[in-house]
Amino acid sequence: MTDFENAAFGAGHDHVFLGAGHEENERRTWMVIALCSAMMVAEIIGGSLFGSLALVADGLHMSTHAGAMLIAALAYTYARKHAGDARFVFGTGKLGDLAGFTSAIALAMIALLIGYEAVSRFMSPVPIHFGEAIPIAVLGLLVNLASVWLLSGGHHGHGHGHGHGHGHGHGHAHGHGRDGEHGHGDDHDHDHDHDHDAHAHTASRDHNLRSAYIHVIADAAVSVMAIIGLLLARAFGWLWMDPLAGVIGALVIANWSWGLMRDTGRILLDMNPDPHLAENVRRVIEEHGDKILDLHVWRVGPGHMSAIVSIATTDAQRSPGFYRAALERFKGLSHVTVEINRAAVQATG
């Protein structure tokens, strides 16, 4: 006989796995878009009126910046509006990770373009209009710093899980031939497990906001290096400093892009971002004398983890609710499916 229950902690029957600061992060991202768009329009119109090609070019660059922010903002808005859509089996919590992965690809393309332009200028130097280029770089840096300030209110925030409950049961006989390995947790027994380690931080991180933050930080870094390169080129005649600053900026952006692509890709492929949590789940269940036949833990949204647990037990009185209560100490575990397999115990017993 096998008992099965799909249980989630808390009240209500829904699959809303959005981050704790979802709406605030959405609002901040739209504010950055408004700032970048205003700057873009001002630069393009000003450059056209005063005949400054450099100003128009920077305005067009700002439009790509606003476009990258738009990916993040639309992901926030869509995820919020469709959070209760039943077509999304585990909610829309991963939409931010998809947007972050897309932004990482865009960042990689930007790094390639900057690198290509820098190498081209090494081979064929072009005259630099310092009187226009330096003020534009400074203005771009100020806009990026303002964007960083707007976004910094939540990019280090930890999402806190909120739950929901529902259950159903049915019986059917089947056996599991695969034995689960015993895990050894490092935590002492206590009522609440607060995993304040790097894995827990990764599991709760909002990668959509992180991608927006990396965009503005990358642009700010490029502006700083451009200013340094332009000042040295003007002071000492080192025209090669400008493309060198571009190469360094491209390498920095490429590194950030890879990190974002790696982290979001793992979540999209359902890799477990918090092995420590899985070990603790195993420890809590097996300390009651039961055995885990199968265990899967993955992330369904910022600060929200889901688990499927197949348990072999000799205690006929233990229901899925018993294990649900035992796992309530893990606040980030928002959705749990418990299967109790008694036939496997009898067969091996």
Side-chain angles (χ1 to χ4, degrees), residues 65 92 94 126 130 135 137 145 158 193 217 225 230 233 246 255 282 309 349:
H65 185 53
T92 55
K94 280 188 179 180
V126 297
F130 296 104
L145 291 177
H158 293 264
D193 193 331
I217 283 288
M225 283 180 274
L230 288 169
N255 180 60
R282 181 182 296 275
V309 191

Side-chain angles (χ1 to χ4, degrees), residues 226-250:
I227 292 170
I228 294 173
L230 288 169
L231 290 175
L232 291 176
R234 184 176 66 175
F236 302 102
W238 298 343
L239 295 182
W240 50 267
M241 279 299 303
D242 183 56
L244 177 61
V247 169
I248 296 174

Side-chain angles (χ1 to χ4, degrees), residues 118-302:
V119 171
S120 298
R121 293 200 176 195
F122 269 125
M123 300 176 63
S124 302
V126 297
I128 301 174
H129 302 284
F130 296 104
E132 289 182 343
I134 293 177
I136 290 174
V138 172
L139 185 60
L141 176 60
L142 292 176
V143 172
N144 288 319
L145 291 177
S147 300
V148 169
W149 179 77
L150 286 172
L151 293 175
S152 62
H155 90 284
H156 287 303
H158 293 264
H160 299 281
H162 62 274
H164 56 277
H166 65 280
H168 60 275
H170 59 82
H172 59 277
H174 69 280
H176 288 273
R178 185 157 62 94
D179 291 335
E181 297 178 356
H182 287 274
H184 300 282
D186 297 327
D187 290 349
H188 297 288
D189 292 339
H190 47 73
D191 290 335
H192 299 284
D193 193 331
H194 295 284
D195 296 318
H196 291 305
D197 56 8
H199 291 304
H201 177 65
T202 300
S204 62
R205 177 181 289 171
D206 186 336
H207 290 294
N208 195 26
L209 186 65
R210 178 188 172 199
S211 68
Y213 194 82
I214 287 178
H215 269 288
V216 295
I217 283 288
D219 216 26
V222 170
S223 296
V224 169
M225 283 180 274
I227 292 170
I228 294 173
L230 288 169
L231 290 175
L232 291 176
R234 184 176 66 175
F236 302 102
W238 298 343
L239 295 182
W240 50 267
M241 279 299 303
D242 183 56
L244 177 61
V247 169
I248 296 174
L251 291 175
V252 171
I253 294 174
N255 180 60
W256 288 340
S257 169
W258 166 247
L260 181 61
M261 195 179 303
R262 177 195 60 213
D263 293 343
T264 54
R266 287 173 175 174
I267 292 173
L268 294 174
L269 292 174
D270 289 332
M271 288 184 66
N272 180 11
D274 190 358
H276 187 57
L277 175 61
E279 292 171 4
N280 284 338
V281 168
R282 181 182 296 275
R283 173 180 56 81
V284 167
I285 292 177
E286 293 191 341
E287 71 183 4
H288 291 100
D290 300 322
K291 187 174 184 178
I292 289 185
L293 299 176
D294 201 11
L295 172 63
H296 300 280
V297 179
W298 72 100
R299 179 175 132 151
V300 290

